[in-house]
């Protein structure tokens, strides 16, 4: 097991043409992921429809999630939401001029 100290705000790629996804810890039951957006959104077609629950928090920046039922939830630093498994959603907005850093935990 690695015990090297890390910082979720370090090593963000300079070129964010695409949204950046990085698994920072996990096992067969739980995955912890850092996501960095800069004006990125989910594709227009389709929804995230995950087999696991997703707890997601915005650490820096801001983002907006849209759910299949029409709900829109804006998240700012320190705010989080728990998304049940198979609750269809997408990222509909993130700050265009600054990095939005998300921490996502996927669990059963």
């Amino acid at each position: 097991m690695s015990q090297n100290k890390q910082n979720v705000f370090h090593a963000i790629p300079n070129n964010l043409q695409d949204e950046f996804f990085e698994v920072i810890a996990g096992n067969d039951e739980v995955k912890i992921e850092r996501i960095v957006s800069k004006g990125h959104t989910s594709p227009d077609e389709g929804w995230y429809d995950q087999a696991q629950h997703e707890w997601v928090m915005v650490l820096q920046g801001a983002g907006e999630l849209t759910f299949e039922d029409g709900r829109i939830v804006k998240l700012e630093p320190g705010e989080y939401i728990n998304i049940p498994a198979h609750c269809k959603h997408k990222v509909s907005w993130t700050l265009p001029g600054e990095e939005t850093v998300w921490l996502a935990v996927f669990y059963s």
Side-chain angles (χ1 to χ4, degrees), residues 3-103:
Q3 294 186 9
N4 295 330
K5 183 171 100 170
Q6 310 244 350
N7 187 310
V8 74
F9 299 112
H10 290 177
I12 292 175
N14 290 328
N15 181 358
L16 284 172
Q17 283 187 345
D18 297 314
E19 199 167 31
F20 178 73
F21 296 85
E22 177 185 27
V23 176
I24 57 176
N27 59 30
D28 292 340
E29 307 263 332
V30 176
K31 177 175 72 170
I32 302 172
E33 191 171 72
R34 173 177 74 154
I35 305 165
V36 183
S37 310
K38 190 172 185 179
H40 298 100
T41 60
S42 300
D44 290 337
E45 299 295 319
W47 298 90
Y48 290 121
D49 182 6
Q50 298 147 185
Q52 290 185 301
H53 307 295
E54 179 183 1
W55 178 93
V56 64
M57 172 186 255
V58 168
L59 302 174
Q60 169 184 300
E64 193 173 83
L65 301 174
T66 298
F67 292 85
E68 186 181 41
D69 65 8
R71 284 181 302 130
I72 297 173
V73 176
K74 184 173 182 182
L75 296 172
E76 295 183 342
E79 296 179 328
Y80 61 88
I81 188 169
N82 193 60
I83 304 168
H86 298 293
C87 179
K88 294 180 181 178
H89 65 285
K90 61 175 69 178
V91 177
S92 50
W93 175 84
T94 61
L95 280 173
E98 123 184 21
E99 289 91 7
T100 295
V101 179
W102 309 77
L103 185 65

